[in-house]
Amino acid sequence: MLHSKTKWQSPAADPVQSGELVRRLSVSPLVASLLVARGMNDPEKAHSFIEGAMEEDHDPFLLKGMKEAVPRIQKAIEEEEHILVYGDYDADGVSSTSLMIHLLRHLGASFDIYIPHRSNEGYGLHNHALDWALQQGVSLVITVDTGISACSQIAYANDLGMDVIVTDHHEPPDVLPSAYALINPKLPGCPYPFKGLAGVGVAYKLAQALLDGQVPEEWLEIAAIGTVADLMPLLDENRAIVRRGLASMRRSKYPGIRALLEVSAVRVERVDAVNVAFGLAPRINASGRLDHAGRAVSLLTTEDPAEAERLAEELDLLNKERQMVVDRIVSEAIARLEDRLKDGKLPSIIVLAGEGWNVGVVGIVASKVLERYYRPVIILDINPETGNCKGSARSIPGLDIYAALSSCADMMDHFGGHPAAAGMSLHRDKLDEFAAALEEFASSVLTEEDFVPVFTADGEYTLPDLSLRAAEELELLAPFGMANPLPKFIVRGAVVKETRTMGQGNRHLKLVLQQEGVMVEAVAFGKGELAELLPPGTGVDVLAELSINEWNGSRKAQLMLQDLAVPQPQLFDFRGARDAAGRLGRLLDVLLPQTTGRQELAAAVIRKDRLHERELPEWQGTSFWVYDQYKGISPLDDLPGEGIAGKQISLLYLLDMPESLQQLDALLQAFPDVQNIALLHSLREERDRLLIPTRDHFKTLYKWLAAIAAEPLSEQEALLRLTRQSRMSLRMLKMMLDVFEELGFIRRERGQVSFVTRPAARDLASSSRYTHLSELAEMERYFSEGSTAELQEWMEARRLGVS
């Protein structure tokens, strides 16, 4: 049994409404149900969504502050004032800055740009940058994707004689800066009908206002990048920006965008929002995280193909470096946390700090640690010289991280954010107190249910539903992103037909699934470790996205697995494997939840003569049971009351096979609810195995004994002679002699054996030792030679027999 990483939910679309859409729009039932589930239950509304008619292009002058900003900028251009574009270092800020460069070039303006360095300066408008601007002769500052909270800095700019126009999309504070003009759809009293614009979206509206709506179509490519990268809702005007931007990008004239697509291994003519989110955006963001965002701005604004190719390669290398830095910090953070967990339980909120944890990537690290443990996470970089810490927080739906930080605001120098993510700074001397205060707050808010991630899919379907035609039709709903996510489907009861790994280090998993006569390939990135747990014939439930795989001119439907589960108990066949303790660790990581005390859910059964192995560090926390000659199986450690301990176990290791059927039955009875059994016992060499005894075996042995043991003979000598004549193992022969002794066919006295010439007639079946040998040989055959399916079926039959 393999548990899913998340709890799946799926709304059921109204079949009547779906049927109406199928009839009126001539779409598949799948697409119709998706439209209904996303609120497009009216045929006219659904048709408008598909055709893009709902994507409005609102009047830019509806934005509060636009009427003041436009004439001020026009005046600056006419009078040849020097303008400063002040941006931000993330992908939205880079896109906003780049769009303003294209605009001001188009208008023939004199301008400079300034983007603060993430690590050295941090977010927002800075007075020293304004001092520099004054030296450059700047008289007008236009901020993009920043500035709405910069009250003191804008007041300083005013004192220096510079006007400031703020274009931003972040939540405005209660007290607004005294700028020449504030443009933000979220401003109180702003009549603009769509509040979800990205920073680059606001900059694009400024361009529309200045150019009387005659904005070059290719500028939408840059607006689309920032909108997708900043996770803005792809509805209303954003849907139009991204849809048109992607269409332009497929024939892009920008050398920088074409070069960036190439290093991202994205075919220009097929670029979509997903490619932007996972290909372009990380490389643009890498510039601001590890270097300076100006490099990314240069890429999006250059007209030189050679420079574009060089810059794109540099960003690609920075992104690879960023990935390595993130992987290193994640490993260090997890190791530090796991070390703490040896003596306690997982905290309600995880707070970790370390020197050399690049502040530009701590947010990504926090996200990855959250994904592993599903707890709110704060990761901080410690400056070893000053002791100052800068960090990022990521949270789960059950905890408002901004509220949590507000509860201990006096411990921090600065903090800010929203319910899901935040940033903060404090001194390392406050870290322990900070973590304790957050833990107290979080533990009072969070419940066990909050620690189970919930994933909402678009519905439950079968593999025949997820056809190539269905995958092609999904494009009707594109572009996909925030508020219009790529559809995800639940498929239950599919059967694995093929399993293999792929990619460097076998990191990725590829399956062929079958259901109702239809076979579909499925790929799961980063899940290669599951391959040995999903042999052919395994029944699985999957949560997946539907895509199209194109190869050598062939197109077919393909599932991209997001999560999967095996709903029935499993038997993992690692018979004869070396490094049993290593297998334990890997199975624990995959099968059991990432919570404290997870090893308490695992038990190992072993022979008494091997108990010294349990002292190895890898086995710490695992309960041990031993085979017992009289009880069948006994707990080695002090465990809770009778019958309770075994029921708590979800993963059982057989480090040795049972020595009798009684031991096997006792084992199955002790662990009635075990979800998974892993076979890690060694295999007997063939010369030492038992054969299922037949009458012919005993007839042959009887004749040999009659020939060699008419007179008393050393049993050792007798066995030596018998092994020369027989292919049976010495162990088998000894047990057959036990049967003959019980039946009175031989005598054993003082190490000697003699043949009884006229024994009483006895049936083999009357011998308890014959029955024992037969049962033991059958059991060993299953445990040594039987297929996994045969052994599992046989053990299940035994379990039902003893339950």
Side-chain angles (χ1 to χ4, degrees):
M1 182 175 287
L2 180 63
H3 294 283
S4 60
K5 299 296 183 185
T6 59
K7 182 181 179 181
W8 306 345
Q9 293 180 344
S10 61
D14 187 319
V16 175
Q17 294 177 336
S18 297
E20 182 68 6
L21 294 187
V22 170
R23 187 179 65 82
R24 295 274 297 275
L25 303 182
S26 298
V27 295
S28 69
L30 176 68
V31 169
S33 64
L34 290 173
L35 286 166
V36 171
R38 296 182 183 209
M40 310 295 168
N41 49 3
D42 178 79
E44 285 72 26
K45 189 176 182 181
H47 182 266
S48 296
F49 182 81
I50 290 173
E51 296 299 322
M54 291 177 60
E55 300 163 2
E56 299 186 41
D57 190 5
H58 303 298
D59 182 354
F61 284 98
L62 291 175
L63 281 162
K64 189 177 180 179
M66 191 68 78
K67 292 178 181 177
E68 293 76 23
V70 168
R72 178 66 185 90
I73 296 171
Q74 290 171 334
K75 174 179 178 293
I77 294 171
E78 290 169 2
E79 298 181 2
E80 299 183 349
E81 294 182 55
H82 197 49
I83 300 171
L84 177 68
V85 176
Y86 193 105
D88 187 29
Y89 39 67
D90 68 0
D92 188 16
V94 165
S95 302
S96 305
T97 305
S98 301
L99 184 60
M100 289 300 296
I101 290 173
H102 286 288
L103 172 63
L104 294 177
R105 282 178 182 172
H106 184 83
L107 294 172
S110 170
F111 68 92
D112 265 318
I113 69 166
Y114 192 98
I115 297 178
H117 192 283
R118 180 189 290 262
S119 299
N120 299 338
E121 297 174 276
Y123 175 79
L125 196 58
H126 297 284
N127 287 350
H128 65 264
L130 295 171
D131 291 334
W132 172 84
L134 185 66
Q135 294 174 0
Q136 308 309 309
V138 169
S139 55
L140 174 63
V141 177
I142 304 174
T143 73
V144 287
D145 192 35
T146 190
I148 197 63
S149 300
C151 293
S152 64
Q153 293 87 351
I154 290 175
Y156 184 70
N158 294 336
D159 291 342
L160 295 178
M162 292 184 285
D163 291 334
V164 180
I165 294 173
V166 172
T167 73
D168 201 349
H169 73 123
H170 294 98
E171 294 291 338
D174 294 334
V175 178
L176 296 170
S178 56
Y180 187 91
L182 297 174
I183 304 174
N184 184 332
K186 296 176 182 175
L187 283 171
C190 179
Y192 199 74
F194 181 57
K195 307 299 183 182
L197 290 172
V200 71
V202 179
Y204 179 79
K205 301 309 291 186
L206 177 61
Q208 278 189 325
L210 283 164
L211 298 179
D212 196 24
Q214 303 303 307
V215 179
E217 187 75 5
E218 60 267 23
W219 290 5
L220 284 165
E221 299 176 35
I222 296 171
I225 291 173
T227 300
V228 172
D230 215 40
L231 303 180
M232 292 296 102
L234 295 192
L235 301 173
D236 198 278
E237 196 165 16
N238 283 347
R239 183 170 166 83
I241 288 171
V242 174
R243 198 172 196 176
R244 291 169 58 193
L246 290 172
S248 177
M249 204 179 294
R250 291 173 190 132
R251 55 181 188 278
S252 183
K253 299 177 183 177
Y254 288 128
I257 289 180
R258 295 186 70 89
L260 196 55
L261 288 169
E262 185 174 347
V263 298
S264 303
V266 176
R267 291 168 57 185
V268 175
E269 67 275 12
R270 297 194 64 83
V271 63
D272 59 22
V274 176
N275 300 141
V276 172
F278 295 99
L280 277 63
R283 289 167 172 82
I284 292 172
N285 275 322
S287 178
R289 291 184 187 281
L290 298 186
D291 186 49
H292 192 281
R295 196 181 308 201
V297 172
S298 298
L299 175 67
L300 294 181
T301 56
T302 184
E303 297 175 357
D304 181 355
E307 182 186 20
E309 185 176 337
R310 175 181 60 79
L311 288 169
E313 289 175 353
E314 289 176 2
L315 291 192
D316 188 51
L317 288 174
L318 277 175
N319 189 52
K320 289 184 172 68
E321 181 184 349
R322 188 268 306 167
Q323 290 170 329
M324 290 189 291
V325 169
V326 168
D327 289 346
R328 174 184 63 81
I329 300 174
V330 168
S331 296
E332 292 177 7
I334 289 174
R336 192 165 300 183
L337 178 62
E338 293 288 347
D339 188 58
R340 291 185 195 171
L341 297 186
K342 291 178 181 178
D343 300 318
K345 68 176 186 176
L346 196 65
S348 297
I349 182 168
I350 297 169
V351 181
L352 297 168
E355 295 181 3
W357 288 5
N358 189 307
V359 71
V361 301
V362 290
I364 301 175
V365 173
S367 295
K368 288 185 175 294
V369 176
L370 183 151
E371 182 180 345
R372 180 179 175 94
Y373 297 98
Y374 203 67
R375 293 286 198 280
V377 176
I378 295 177
I379 302 293
L380 301 112
D381 170 55
I382 304 173
N383 185 315
E385 297 178 359
T386 65
N388 291 329
C389 306
K390 290 184 178 180
S392 286
R394 297 293 184 269
S395 194
I396 59 178
L399 181 75
D400 181 335
I401 193 66
Y402 184 80
L405 291 171
S406 299
S407 72
C408 52
D410 58 322
M411 301 177 193
M412 294 173 286
D413 299 324
H414 303 283
F415 77 100
H418 52 79
M424 76 295 298
S425 63
L426 67 157
H427 196 271
R428 71 187 308 166
D429 293 343
K430 294 280 188 179
L431 280 175
D432 290 343
E433 183 184 1
F434 176 64
L438 286 173
E439 177 64 18
E440 182 178 358
F441 181 92
S443 60
S444 69
V445 172
L446 294 168
T447 66
E448 286 301 316
E449 289 184 0
D450 293 316
F451 298 134
V452 179
V454 177
F455 198 102
T456 301
D458 290 270
E460 295 195 16
Y461 298 87
T462 63
L463 291 184
D465 296 325
L466 306 181
S467 62
L468 177 61
R469 183 195 169 199
E472 292 169 337
E473 272 198 303
L474 289 182
E475 286 302 309
L476 295 172
L477 309 182
F480 297 112
M482 292 299 292
N484 186 41
L486 192 66
K488 292 178 174 60
F489 309 103
I490 297 171
V491 178
R492 299 191 188 276
V495 177
V496 176
K497 300 301 290 183
E498 296 179 26
T499 304
R500 66 182 179 90
T501 56
M502 60 183 191
Q504 186 176 6
N506 297 319
R507 291 188 62 241
H508 311 304
L509 176 70
K510 187 169 187 178
L511 303 173
V512 176
L513 302 178
Q514 184 178 44
Q515 189 178 51
E516 298 179 15
V518 173
M519 288 199 290
V520 178
E521 288 185 352
V523 173
F525 291 111
K527 296 185 184 295
E529 76 278 2
L530 297 181
E532 61 184 0
L533 308 184
L534 298 169
T538 303
V540 295
D541 299 336
V542 300
L543 174 70
E545 296 170 352
L546 179 61
S547 65
I548 298 174
N549 183 21
E550 298 188 43
W551 181 255
N552 287 339
S554 172
R555 303 176 85 239
K556 57 185 177 181
Q558 177 178 265
L559 297 180
M560 308 303 294
L561 300 186
Q562 307 301 306
D563 201 358
L564 62 87
V566 178
Q568 64 274 357
Q570 287 180 275
L571 184 70
F572 301 119
D573 189 356
F574 305 127
R575 288 175 285 186
R578 298 178 180 178
D579 186 23
R583 290 278 186 181
L584 164 73
R586 291 193 290 275
L587 284 172
L588 285 172
D589 285 341
V590 174
L591 295 175
L592 299 185
Q594 294 291 340
T595 58
T596 55
R598 63 193 179 125
Q599 281 189 293
E600 295 172 6
L601 301 172
V605 187
I606 195 170
R607 295 196 316 265
K608 288 183 178 180
D609 61 328
R610 292 182 57 198
L611 282 176
H612 63 280
E613 297 181 21
R614 78 188 187 103
E615 302 302 325
L616 296 173
E618 295 89 341
W619 295 108
Q620 295 301 310
T622 301
S623 63
F624 270 79
W625 297 62
V626 293
Y627 293 117
D628 189 289
Q629 181 179 355
Y630 304 103
K631 296 180 181 179
I633 184 173
S634 300
L636 186 66
D637 306 300
D638 292 332
L639 294 172
E642 187 72 24
I644 296 177
K647 291 180 181 179
Q648 295 175 330
I649 300 300
S650 59
L651 177 58
L652 179 65
Y653 295 88
L654 300 191
L655 301 181
D656 293 302
M657 74 171 75
E659 297 167 332
S660 68
L661 268 180
Q662 289 71 26
Q663 289 182 351
L664 175 62
D665 291 343
L667 183 151
L668 296 174
Q669 195 168 18
F671 301 97
D673 302 318
V674 67
Q675 296 173 359
N676 296 297
I677 298 177
L679 303 177
L680 285 160
H681 61 270
S682 58
L683 297 175
R684 292 185 184 274
E685 294 185 16
E686 193 165 346
R687 66 174 182 269
D688 196 32
R689 293 183 184 176
L690 299 179
L691 300 175
I692 294 180
T694 66
R695 292 185 181 277
D696 287 340
H697 288 140
F698 281 95
K699 284 180 182 179
T700 303
L701 180 60
Y702 191 85
K703 291 178 182 178
W704 289 338
L705 286 171
I708 68 172
E711 298 294 333
L713 177 68
S714 162
E715 184 170 339
Q716 186 175 359
E717 176 66 20
L719 287 170
L720 182 61
R721 292 189 188 184
L722 290 171
T723 54
R724 290 172 183 166
Q725 294 177 282
S726 171
R727 297 178 60 187
M728 290 184 285
S729 67
L730 180 62
R731 181 165 163 256
M732 177 78 178
L733 291 168
K734 284 182 177 179
M735 296 186 74
M736 291 176 72
L737 290 181
D738 292 341
V739 174
F740 278 161
E741 181 183 24
E742 182 183 5
L743 295 175
F745 295 169
I746 64 171
R747 293 191 186 90
R748 282 168 158 167
E749 292 178 346
R750 294 190 292 276
Q752 291 190 320
V753 60
S754 59
F755 184 72
V756 176
T757 55
R758 293 180 181 274
R762 298 280 301 277
D763 189 348
L764 278 174
S766 67
S767 168
S768 61
R769 293 183 177 182
Y770 172 78
T771 302
H772 173 72
L773 172 58
S774 299
E775 291 176 341
L776 186 60
E778 180 188 36
M779 184 185 75
E780 289 194 5
R781 185 184 69 81
Y782 276 112
F783 271 90
S784 299
E785 303 170 17
S787 68
T788 307
E790 289 173 337
L791 179 53
Q792 186 168 16
E793 183 178 350
W794 181 75
M795 288 179 67
E796 178 64 10
R798 298 293 311 182
R799 187 188 69 79
L800 293 174
V802 300
S803 61

